[in-house]
Amino acid sequence: MKEEISLTELSEQAGISNGYLSRIFKKYYHISVVDYIHLRKLNLAKYYMIDSEMNISDISFMMGYSEAGYFCKIFKKYEGMTPSAYLNLIAKEK
């Protein structure tokens, strides 16, 4: 399952422009479409990190990120830690 979700794909499916979708999404949900997409992908990635034996690189590609380094950068931006630090935190909690 590869998560190839993008603003363009969503706007095409909705039959509206990228700009209009971005404006109405932000107005009603108080978050940008791009931020929302990243957060959804990261939540799914965290599930796979905890409940599978997959490595971070494989998970990042499965989520639709073309480079594991970019996935790690996005993960740190939204989660405040690297994927490895997240896994270490989860391991300590178990």
Side-chain angles (χ1 to χ4, degrees):
M1 179 176 120
K2 195 165 185 182
E3 297 292 317
E4 293 290 344
I5 300 169
S6 68
L7 173 60
T8 301
E9 181 182 329
L10 291 174
S11 64
E12 285 174 358
Q13 289 199 9
I16 56 178
S17 72
N18 289 358
Y20 184 62
L21 176 61
S22 294
R23 284 191 302 278
I24 61 173
F25 196 93
K26 180 87 171 184
K27 178 180 177 181
Y28 289 102
Y29 296 105
H30 308 289
I31 186 172
S32 75
V33 175
V34 173
D35 286 341
Y36 179 78
I37 291 169
H38 282 306
L39 289 170
R40 291 292 304 248
K41 287 180 178 184
L42 293 177
N43 282 333
L44 187 56
K46 288 190 292 186
Y47 167 79
Y48 284 113
M49 290 166 70
I50 295 167
D51 289 342
S52 78
E53 297 296 319
M54 296 175 66
N55 65 41
I56 293 169
S57 181
D58 290 340
I59 292 170
S60 69
F61 291 120
M62 192 167 73
M63 294 298 107
Y65 294 97
S66 59
E67 296 179 17
Y70 181 65
F71 169 76
C72 291
K73 179 180 176 181
I74 294 298
F75 193 96
K76 186 169 184 175
K77 175 183 175 182
Y78 291 96
E79 298 297 328
M81 65 184 81
T82 64
S84 298
Y86 176 76
L87 285 172
N88 289 336
L89 180 67
I90 295 302
K92 287 179 185 177
E93 290 178 358
K94 287 186 176 182

